[in-house]
Amino acid sequence: MGRHRTDELDGGYGGGYRASEPPSRRRRSSRGRVLVPLAGAVALAVLLGVAAFVIFNRDHDCSGGKLALRVVATPDIEPSLSKIANNYNKAMHSIDGKCVDVTVAKEAAARTANALAAGKATADFWVADSSLLLESMRRTPAGKALPEPEVSIATSPVVLAAAKSAAAKLSSALKPSWSSMIAAANVANVDGPGKQVRVLALDPQKNSAGLAALVAAAGTAKEAGQDKALVGALKELSGQLASDSTALLASLTVKSGSKVPVGVASEQAIYAHNTKKPEAPVVALYPEEGTLSLDYPVTILTKDPATQKAAADFKQELSTDPAKKILRDAGFRSADGKAGDVLTKDKGFTPETPQALPAPDGATVARMVQTWSRLNLGSRLLTLLDVSGTMALPVPGTGMTRMQAIGKIATEGLGLFPADSELGVWTFSTHLDGRGKDWKEIVSLGPLTESIDGTLRKDLMVKQLSTIQAKATGDTGLNDTLKAAYTEMTETYQQDKINTLLILTDGAGNDDPDGGIKNPAILQFLKDTYDPKRPVSIIIIAFGPDAAPGKQRMDALAKATGGEAYIAKNILQVRDFFLQGMERRLCSPNCDG
């Protein structure tokens, strides 16, 4: 009975083993019978693992090694792109059996653009900070070969900026607008907001936020008919430049005099400043007319087919939600203008998307870059000051003689020129420097900061202009003087400066009883001598009751050299005339068609 029950038991679990088999064999077979299903499970797990490995490596196959993708980006966005690239590399994206290895280097956009134009760029993938920069570069002969950008990965509006501690004081002196900024910076607007505000700028030839601010301000000025004010502002701002956004924002929080400093920067630059220096925060002021934004365009530079695939894949990565979050957390907005959680009102920002100004075309951007460049060429100006007898006559209603008024006009004009200018003064009448010579050098032409016998040329000029006297018996030997001065300026022409001959007179024209050069002859001399490739322009400013009758003749002399003639009704008006003269730099030598 017991063996029968054993046989049933063995048959139930052993698959029909006979009872006559040795006990030891039966025991070994029992262990095998237990391991068979376990072995099957292990085999299945191995097969599944192999399948998973094959599936995983179909998209992450690094068997062929690494495929390098060299990215260059502007310093502001490089830290964020490095984080995105690190995550991307960890995910093992592969192209044709090689894992893409992204490295990100930082370089100013202007420097990269110049390297590209010169054919010396080594990057495969470029993230500049602004399409405006690319447009301005593409308009140059060297930049025509620059590839077109493909997509924008982030934005950051260009805004006005001021220290948070000064914001309340600033609100009563300057509303946040491009028009107000122009008025505050305009050197000719002596009674404007510039009495309370000091405007700082970024060089538009080196900084994309500075270029965006220039284009935005210029467009606003054109709409409002503020062209002259813009010229005055740009001339002043050329001497108030910060090297970069970091330096500009830091200077806003440093007290210096009674004026409140205001500057321009990207919204993200302000966020980065406040993150690093929470003890000296800056607030963003959004221009009421609207603004332009840095748009961080992607340009694929590589020509290698495999690297182009890698670049396209990384470009796609930059559009993913995790990548967008990294960018927004660093103070950037998404390409659609959406702000992240860090741009809040309590931190001095406006989370809503700012109003956008119309995007300028390439020609407009290039023209503004040229405007800035030409306005900031050095000045080389020789002034011819009329000291003939009629200059001793009084100017009705002013309590001054014509000589005193012209001296004040000259001093007013002197204040518009930066320290690196080269200026000089000649006087003219008849027989001023011996018999037959109608002119005399009072202050030699040279740098304002140069010392002459222990006195700076600028100080010497102010002194001479305030004390000079008219020659009571002198006539107006303008033509002989003009020929000598124009010959001097053309023979000593300096290519890196705007070379100008300025005539300050009461408008009586040429009156030389001893003869000298006649009116038709001097006009022909100027037409024959003027060289549009080495232009020396004549600017004439006349003041007094005799000025109007001689306007036609003054116009002829000035226009023969691409210049202009003006009649001043009051002394302060001369600032406008000097600014108009500066405006002609932008079109010279084709200002009149």
Side-chain angles (χ1 to χ4, degrees):
M1 292 289 294
R3 191 169 56 202
H4 177 74
R5 289 191 295 270
T6 302
D7 287 344
E8 288 178 347
L9 180 65
D10 287 343
Y13 289 91
Y17 285 109
R18 291 188 303 271
S20 59
E21 290 181 85
S24 60
R25 183 177 174 182
R26 291 201 302 270
R27 284 195 296 273
R28 286 196 299 271
S29 297
S30 296
R31 286 198 302 271
R33 290 195 295 273
V34 172
L35 289 174
V36 166
L38 289 177
V42 169
L44 178 61
V46 170
L47 287 172
L48 290 173
V50 169
F53 179 80
V54 170
I55 292 171
F56 177 80
N57 279 279
R58 189 181 303 154
D59 295 323
H60 305 269
D61 179 13
C62 297
S63 59
K66 291 184 177 182
L67 176 59
L69 180 67
R70 299 163 297 179
V71 177
V72 64
T74 50
D76 51 350
I77 204 169
E78 177 272 325
S80 297
L81 291 186
S82 291
K83 286 183 181 180
I84 296 170
N86 187 47
N87 294 339
Y88 177 87
N89 290 341
K90 287 179 180 178
M92 299 174 65
H93 292 252
S94 67
I95 302 293
D96 299 334
K98 293 183 178 181
C99 265
V100 181
D101 182 35
V102 180
T103 57
V104 185
K106 62 182 177 182
E107 185 174 68
R111 184 171 181 179
T112 307
N114 288 329
L116 280 170
K120 297 180 180 179
T122 58
D124 304 311
F125 189 107
W126 179 29
V127 181
D129 52 7
S130 175
S131 297
L132 293 180
L133 173 72
L134 303 188
E135 286 295 337
S136 67
M137 286 295 300
R138 197 169 281 111
R139 291 281 167 168
T140 64
K144 288 181 179 179
L146 289 179
E148 292 283 347
E150 301 198 5
V151 67
S152 170
I153 62 170
T155 59
S156 188
V158 175
V159 297
L160 311 185
K164 186 176 182 179
S165 59
K169 180 180 178 182
L170 182 65
S171 63
S172 63
L174 183 83
K175 63 180 180 180
S177 70
W178 297 115
S179 293
S180 294
M181 285 282 283
I182 292 170
N186 183 6
V187 69
N189 190 9
V190 293
D191 295 318
K195 295 176 70 174
Q196 302 176 62
V197 176
R198 179 168 61 93
V199 182
L200 306 177
L202 295 166
D203 190 340
Q205 292 182 302
K206 299 178 181 179
N207 187 283
S208 294
L211 177 57
L214 171 64
V215 174
T220 301
K222 188 174 183 62
E223 284 284 323
Q226 290 183 312
D227 289 349
K228 272 193 302 184
L230 177 66
V231 172
L234 296 183
K235 192 61 186 173
E236 176 69 8
L237 291 175
S238 66
Q240 303 285 345
L241 295 178
S243 57
D244 53 37
S245 295
T246 300
L248 185 147
L249 294 172
S251 67
L252 296 179
T253 61
V254 178
K255 290 185 178 180
S256 178
S258 60
K259 293 185 178 182
V260 178
V262 181
V264 294
S266 72
E267 189 182 59
Q268 192 277 336
I270 295 175
Y271 171 78
H273 167 88
N274 291 347
T275 301
K276 294 178 182 178
K277 297 186 176 182
E279 74 285 357
V282 170
V283 295
L285 307 173
Y286 298 82
E288 62 180 16
E289 304 97 336
T291 190
L292 299 172
S293 293
L294 304 185
D295 59 344
Y296 300 93
V298 166
T299 307
I300 295 177
L301 305 175
T302 180
K303 302 298 184 183
D304 178 72
T307 312
Q308 284 181 336
K309 292 180 183 178
D313 194 61
F314 185 62
K315 182 183 72 173
Q316 185 65 31
E317 179 72 15
L318 296 176
S319 66
T320 63
D321 288 339
K324 289 179 180 179
K325 186 177 187 307
I326 289 174
L327 289 165
R328 286 197 296 265
D329 287 348
F332 296 97
R333 294 174 181 256
S334 299
D336 60 3
K338 181 181 178 181
D341 297 335
V342 301
L343 298 178
T344 59
K345 288 185 178 180
D346 63 305
K347 293 181 179 179
F349 301 99
T350 298
E352 295 79 13
T353 305
Q355 180 180 341
L357 289 172
D361 58 26
T364 299
V365 176
R367 186 167 60 251
M368 288 314 304
V369 171
Q370 184 186 47
T371 293
W372 177 265
S373 177
R374 296 198 66 148
L375 275 175
N376 288 285
L377 284 174
S379 295
R380 185 168 180 267
L381 179 83
L382 177 59
T383 299
L384 304 183
L385 189 60
D386 188 350
V387 294
S388 60
T390 56
M391 295 293 287
L393 297 174
V395 179
T398 66
M400 293 184 291
T401 65
R402 295 182 188 179
M403 188 75 257
Q404 291 170 328
I406 288 292
K408 283 187 173 290
I409 285 175
T411 303
E412 279 288 320
L414 181 65
L416 297 176
F417 290 89
D420 61 353
S421 302
E422 293 189 10
L423 272 67
V425 178
W426 290 8
T427 55
F428 70 93
S429 179
T430 48
H431 310 302
L432 276 189
D433 193 15
R435 186 71 186 174
K437 188 177 179 183
D438 296 338
W439 64 94
K440 184 176 183 179
E441 182 180 82
I442 300 300
V443 179
S444 62
L445 181 62
L448 285 176
T449 54
E450 187 176 62
S451 178
I452 302 175
D453 296 329
T455 303
L456 291 180
R457 179 176 273 101
K458 181 177 182 178
D459 295 335
L460 184 60
M461 289 184 70
V462 171
K463 180 181 178 181
Q464 290 288 348
L465 291 172
S466 64
T467 59
I468 202 161
Q469 298 291 319
K471 181 180 179 182
T473 60
D475 294 301
T476 309
L478 174 61
N479 289 352
D480 286 1
T481 303
L482 184 51
K483 182 178 180 181
Y486 201 82
T487 300
E488 172 74 13
M489 290 294 287
T490 53
E491 290 180 351
T492 60
Y493 182 87
Q494 292 188 19
Q495 191 71 42
D496 63 338
K497 292 182 173 60
I498 299 294
N499 297 258
T500 308
L501 194 60
L502 171 65
I503 301 172
L504 297 176
T505 180
D506 62 0
N510 188 73
D511 179 21
D512 187 353
D514 296 320
I517 301 174
K518 302 301 180 183
N519 288 347
I522 190 62
L523 187 58
Q524 191 60 49
F525 165 79
L526 293 175
K527 290 179 179 179
D528 293 342
T529 308
Y530 176 72
D531 181 354
K533 295 181 180 180
R534 293 166 55 89
V536 177
S537 297
I538 294 175
I539 303 295
I540 303 176
I541 298 178
F543 183 77
D546 295 331
K551 181 66 163 59
Q552 185 176 358
R553 169 163 165 69
M554 291 189 293
D555 283 340
L557 293 173
K559 290 186 180 299
T561 62
E564 194 74 52
Y566 307 98
I567 296 178
K569 295 180 180 178
N570 58 66
I571 295 170
L572 291 180
Q573 193 180 14
V574 74
R575 284 181 173 259
D576 281 342
F577 296 152
F578 271 89
L579 291 182
Q580 288 179 45
M582 290 178 182
E583 273 190 283
R584 295 187 70 83
R585 295 180 173 201
L586 313 184
C587 56
S588 179
N590 301 306
C591 297
D592 302 306

